[in-house]
Amino acid sequence: MTQHPPPGPGFGPPPPQYTPAPPAYAPQPPYAQTPQPPYAQAPPPPQQAAAGPDFLAVDKRNAVVVDASGVAFETSGHTVEFRWPEIRGVHYRASPDGKALMVAVVHMDGRFYECVVEARPRTRLQEWFPQLAWVLGHYRPAG
C-alpha cells in the first residue's frame, strides 16, 4: 500500500473574507428571516357618479344615454361621451316622420352633435319624451 501525503492547505472552507454572498433567491435560515410586511390592501373602488335618474333610448344601431356624468351617444359601435361641464345645451324632438327620437348636444364651443334612435313600436317615442324631459330637468334645471 502506498501512503498519500496529508492534504495541503488548499482544502477546507475558504477564509471568511473570501466567502461569496449567498444568492438573493437562496433560502435563509429560519433565525435570519425578517418579518414580512402584510400584504397591501386593495385600492378602494373608483368613485362613481352620484346615483340619480338616467335615461336610455336604444335601437339596433344607435343609443342615447343621459345620466349623472353627462350625455353619451353610440352610433354604429362608436361612442361619444359629453360631461355636463362641457355641455351648453341638450335639445330633442321627434323625427319628421315621427318614427325616431332626435337628440342634439351643443358643446360649449358651439359645435353640436346629433344622434337619432328609432322608436319601435312608435308608441315608445311618446314614453321617451317625458322620461327624457324629467332626467334633463334633474341635471340641467336651467336648460
Side-chain angles (χ1 to χ4, degrees), residues 119-143:
R120 289 193 184 184
R122 199 181 275 204
T123 56
R124 183 167 292 155
L125 186 61
Q126 299 310 316
E127 297 170 8
W128 285 343
F129 280 123
Q131 292 173 359
L132 182 55
W134 185 77
V135 172
L136 287 173
H138 180 80
Y139 295 115
R140 305 280 296 193

Side-chain angles (χ1 to χ4, degrees), residues 77-93:
H78 300 287
T79 303
V80 180
E81 296 181 5
F82 305 96
R83 303 287 177 212
W84 288 117
E86 59 190 30
I87 296 175
R88 181 182 293 174
V90 179
H91 306 282
Y92 60 94
R93 67 182 181 113

Side-chain angles (χ1 to χ4, degrees), residues 55-66 71-80 103 114-118:
F55 172 79
L56 174 65
V58 180
D59 67 13
K60 291 180 182 179
R61 293 179 304 250
N62 304 330
V64 174
V65 178
V66 181
V71 179
F73 292 160
E74 183 170 333
T75 304
S76 301
H78 300 287
T79 303
V80 180
V103 180
E114 295 179 318
C115 185
V116 178
V117 180
E118 290 184 36

